[in-house]
């Protein structure tokens, strides 16, 4: 997932869960059935899981541009220089 | 939000937090229910009234209990626990409460009932103060919710009196 996708996933998750909770409470209260409320909410959690957790393609619409491997070879990593002062103290 | 585990954790935590809120609101909605319970208790017979070997009075009663507790049941009610207690005053204690009968009512349909029984639990005094004693019979109930706060209340019925002599 790219950055935009992650933000979208988080927002979707929060909004879907809130909607599931509100719908569950309203339906449960009006039908006077606690069980209905719990079932609707559980269903809502399941649907939210399916939508936000797997790595769907629509979460990757702004992919990150990593550096090309051939480009990386042209700019090698700088070498770490060990100073002579340190070596003498180790003796 | 960069991995399955991260997203699954966030979702689960948020879902459980919201579940706690739903249950709290469901419990709060119980305050808006209109509760009109009613009850009547008749003492049909004093079976016997004696002094025990240790010196304590004991009485056995046959009670006729009629009650309608259906309005106590809401969508958030698991069960109602009801009990009848005899309450009276003695020189030793300002309030004595002796539980005579109780029942667990699991469904609304069973909450309107009529029952005629002798006392389920023994009516024994702390001492020998029961002769000629005036007492109240109180029906207490505890409404146990599926989630949240438990409500308790009672109806006091007065005007009962034990005989002046042992039988």
């Amino acid at each position: 997932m790219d950055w935009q996708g992650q933000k979208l996933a988080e927002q979707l998750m929060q909004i879907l869960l809130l909607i599931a909770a509100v719908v569950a409470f309203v339906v449960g209260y009006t039908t006077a059935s606690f069980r209905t409320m719990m079932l609707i909410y559980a269903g809502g959690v399941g649907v939210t899981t399916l939508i936000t957790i797997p790595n769907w393609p629509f979460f990757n619409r702004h992919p990150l541009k990593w550096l090309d491997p051939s480009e990386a070879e042209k700019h090698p990593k700088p070498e770490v220089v060990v100073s002579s002062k340190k070596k003498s103290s180790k003796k | 939000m960069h991995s399955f585990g991260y997203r699954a954790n966030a979702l689960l935590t948020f879902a459980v937090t919201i579940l706690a809120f739903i249950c709290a609101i469901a419990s709060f909605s119980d305050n808006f229910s209109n509760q009109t319970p009613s009850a009547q208790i008749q003492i049909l017979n004093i079976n016997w009234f004696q002094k025990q070997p240790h010196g304590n009075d004991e009485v056995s009663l046959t009670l006729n209990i009629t009650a309608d507790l259906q309005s106590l049941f809401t969508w958030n009610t698991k069960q109602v626990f009801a009990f009848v207690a005899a309450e009276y005053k003695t020189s030793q204690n300002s309030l004595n409460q002796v539980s005579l009968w109780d029942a667990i009512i699991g469904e609304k349909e069973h909450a309107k009932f009529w029952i005629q029984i002798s006392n389920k639990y023994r009516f024994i005094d702390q001492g020998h103060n029961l002769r000629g004693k005036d007492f109240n019979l109180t029906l207490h109930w505890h409404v146990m919710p599926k989630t949240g706060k438990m409500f308790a209340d009672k109806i006091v019925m007065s005007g009962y009196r034990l005989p002046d002599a042992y039988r």
Side-chain angles (χ1 to χ4, degrees):
Chain A
M1 260 193 214
D2 59 57
W3 302 119
Q4 298 293 340
Q6 289 179 30
K7 179 178 171 184
L8 179 64
E10 180 168 3
Q11 284 175 339
L12 262 183
M13 182 259 291
Q14 288 169 342
I15 291 178
L16 285 176
L17 281 179
L18 280 172
I19 291 177
V22 168
V23 167
F25 184 80
V26 167
V27 172
Y29 190 70
T30 50
T31 62
S33 168
F34 197 85
R35 175 170 234 230
T36 309
M37 178 174 88
M38 287 291 127
L39 286 174
I40 293 181
Y41 185 63
V45 171
V47 166
T48 310
T49 311
L50 285 175
I51 293 180
T52 59
I53 292 189
N55 209 354
W56 300 118
F58 66 83
F59 284 129
N60 211 14
R61 276 189 289 212
H62 306 266
L64 296 160
K65 290 201 184 76
W66 296 107
L67 197 58
D68 209 38
S70 58
E71 192 66 33
E73 281 168 18
K74 291 181 192 168
H75 306 272
K77 267 186 174 177
E79 283 177 24
V80 179
V81 177
V82 180
S83 65
S84 53
K85 279 185 184 171
K86 267 193 179 173
K87 269 186 179 172
S88 55
S89 60
K90 272 182 184 174
K91 279 181 190 170
Chain B
M1 294 291 149
H2 50 72
S3 67
F4 279 122
Y6 198 112
R7 291 194 292 277
N9 183 25
L11 186 145
L12 199 64
T13 310
F14 198 57
V16 170
T17 308
I18 293 187
L19 182 65
F21 270 109
I22 297 178
C23 291
I25 298 174
S27 173
F28 185 70
S29 73
D30 272 352
N31 287 324
F32 302 116
S33 66
N34 192 18
Q35 303 190 326
T36 53
S38 62
Q40 265 183 329
I41 304 182
Q42 239 182 320
I43 297 186
L44 292 175
N45 188 28
I46 310 253
N47 304 330
W48 43 266
F49 183 8
Q50 280 165 16
K51 192 168 175 174
Q52 297 300 74
H54 294 290
N56 295 330
D57 280 353
E58 183 175 352
V59 59
S60 168
L61 311 161
T62 302
L63 300 166
N64 185 356
I65 305 170
T66 314
D68 180 4
L69 301 176
Q70 286 189 322
S71 62
L72 296 174
F73 277 78
T74 67
W75 70 308
N76 187 27
T77 302
K78 170 111 174 68
Q79 65 193 16
V80 170
F81 175 70
F83 67 97
V84 170
E87 296 174 353
Y88 58 95
K89 188 177 165 153
T90 58
S91 54
Q92 214 182 347
N93 305 319
S94 62
L95 176 65
N96 299 278
Q97 282 174 312
V98 184
S99 179
L100 299 178
W101 171 88
D102 58 29
I104 295 177
I105 306 169
E107 277 110 26
K108 191 171 178 168
E109 291 72 35
H110 299 159
K112 188 167 183 174
F113 60 92
W114 175 99
I115 182 171
Q116 183 173 321
I117 34 125
S118 59
N119 48 316
K120 194 171 171 187
Y121 305 110
R122 299 170 68 177
F123 188 166
I124 301 179
D125 186 31
Q126 281 182 334
H128 44 271
N129 305 302
L130 290 183
R131 276 164 295 173
K133 179 62 76 180
D134 292 308
F135 63 100
N136 295 338
L137 283 173
T138 313
L139 176 69
H140 297 252
W141 59 82
H142 288 63
V143 180
M144 296 170 178
K146 291 190 173 113
T147 67
K149 187 178 187 309
M150 181 176 84
F151 293 90
D153 206 352
K154 61 187 181 190
I155 294 180
V156 180
M157 289 155 278
S158 51
Y160 304 93
R161 189 186 167 87
L162 287 170
D164 293 323
Y166 294 124
R167 291 186 194 176

